[in-house]
Amino acid sequence: MRKFLVAGNWKMHGSRASVAALVEGLLEQGTMPCQTLICPPVIFFDQLQRQLVGSSIGLGAQNLDWHDSGAYTGEVSAAMVLEFGCSHVLVGHSERRSLFGESDAQVGLKVEKCLSSGLTPVICIGESLAQRQADETFAVVQRQLDAVIRQVGVTALRHSIIAYEPVWAIGTGESATPEQAERVHAQIRQYLAKQDESLSQNIQLLYGGSVNGENAADLFAQENIDGALVGGASLKVDDFLRICRAAV
Ligand code: PEP
């Protein structure tokens, strides 16, 4: 039986004060109703690690460099995020791919570094609007998945999470319908089943793209959707809690 996970991607938002208030709001409601992760900018890790002591909310990074250390200005290593209690890392988010030129091969290297460091990668994959319109959705998703599998092998995905995030639905307010999302999730599971049946049954497949308190329950009712990667709505206590409650 797969567990639901709701992960909040805070992107480049927040200040000391707003971050403290947001987490206080989440903690006030007691134990989180489902497995919950927040992915703040790493600059807030120290503050949040202290604030989250005793809570079930996990801490994730939004990115990671695959090198151990060295002259990589602006980058953050696996060892660094681990020191602050980080358990998960978003890898290959579409904003990293499109705005920072992250390639499929680099995504593979980052996943490999996460796995060898004991971090769980949340591997983000998804098609653009033009690719969907050209009927290339699964070809794109498959290409992105294959790059990771080539690097780490399919079995290593047992310790990974996949987030299907159609690029056209991210930050647009236009979520995929539950049926559209479920179709791709089922295709991903079937594709993995051909390579490793038990992995395909156990791996958590999150949906991401304009998930909010209104649409979460319908998305979570789909057989192959095991939770959500949430951007905008994860910055609002009430909305984020509503999404987490819908995952029970
Ligand atoms: C995201 O950033 O991964 C995301 C899904 O954003 P939003 O929920 O705002 O569409």
Side-chain angles (χ1 to χ4, degrees):
M1 183 70 181
R2 296 183 298 270
K3 280 195 201 145
F4 276 92
L5 166 65
V6 175
N9 174 13
W10 291 3
K11 310 197 187 195
M12 198 173 72
H13 293 291
S15 63
R16 273 186 189 275
S18 73
V19 157
L22 178 47
V23 170
E24 199 177 305
L26 297 177
L27 296 179
E28 258 169 21
Q29 68 86 52
T31 309
M32 293 302 286
C34 69
Q35 190 190 354
T36 311
L37 185 69
I38 53 172
C39 304
V42 287
I43 191 89
F44 299 120
F45 267 19
D46 183 42
Q47 173 183 341
L48 287 171
Q49 189 185 23
R50 292 163 205 259
Q51 201 177 359
L52 289 173
V53 169
S55 129
S56 63
I57 299 175
L59 203 50
Q62 297 174 16
N63 185 30
L64 182 91
D65 193 276
W66 64 89
H67 298 96
D68 287 332
S69 63
Y72 303 104
T73 302
E75 294 295 286
V76 171
S77 73
M80 289 172 187
V81 298
L82 279 164
E83 213 176 333
F84 290 91
C86 175
S87 56
H88 292 65
V89 181
L90 306 183
V91 182
H93 189 280
S94 70
E95 287 152 17
R96 298 287 328 160
R97 292 179 191 261
S98 67
L99 302 175
F100 302 99
E102 209 163 283
S103 66
D104 287 345
Q106 289 172 332
V107 171
L109 290 169
K110 290 181 181 200
V111 170
E112 185 175 43
K113 177 48 72 178
C114 285
L115 294 171
S116 65
S117 308
L119 290 158
T120 302
V122 179
I123 305 163
C124 303
I125 54 177
E127 82 289 0
S128 67
L129 184 58
Q131 289 164 332
R132 172 162 283 260
Q133 286 168 343
D135 216 9
E136 291 170 1
T137 298
F138 196 68
V140 171
V141 162
Q142 184 180 328
R143 188 201 75 222
Q144 293 171 334
L145 268 181
D146 282 347
V148 173
I149 293 171
R150 250 194 320 276
Q151 188 66 34
V152 299
V154 73
T155 314
L157 293 184
R158 282 169 195 271
H159 306 289
S160 306
I161 293 167
I162 293 173
Y164 167 59
E165 297 208 300
V167 178
W168 48 271
I170 297 179
T172 60
E174 188 202 341
S175 170
T177 64
E179 295 72 26
Q180 283 173 319
E182 169 61 17
R183 184 153 187 270
V184 180
H185 281 229
Q187 286 176 312
I188 294 170
R189 221 180 278 291
Q190 281 157 16
Y191 183 66
L192 293 174
K194 285 190 214 144
Q195 303 178 60
D196 186 332
E197 172 65 31
S198 91
L199 158 80
S200 75
Q201 289 310 312
N202 291 318
I203 192 166
Q204 285 172 309
L205 300 183
L206 312 184
Y207 166 75
S210 298
V211 176
N212 57 41
E214 291 283 308
N215 60 20
D218 287 343
L219 286 160
F220 295 164
Q222 304 300 311
E223 191 182 335
N224 288 293
I225 298 183
D226 308 316
L229 179 54
V230 185
S234 70
L235 295 167
K236 300 174 205 145
V237 173
D238 290 347
D239 240 10
F240 193 61
L241 285 174
R242 239 180 116 190
I243 296 168
C244 293
R245 289 190 189 113
V248 179

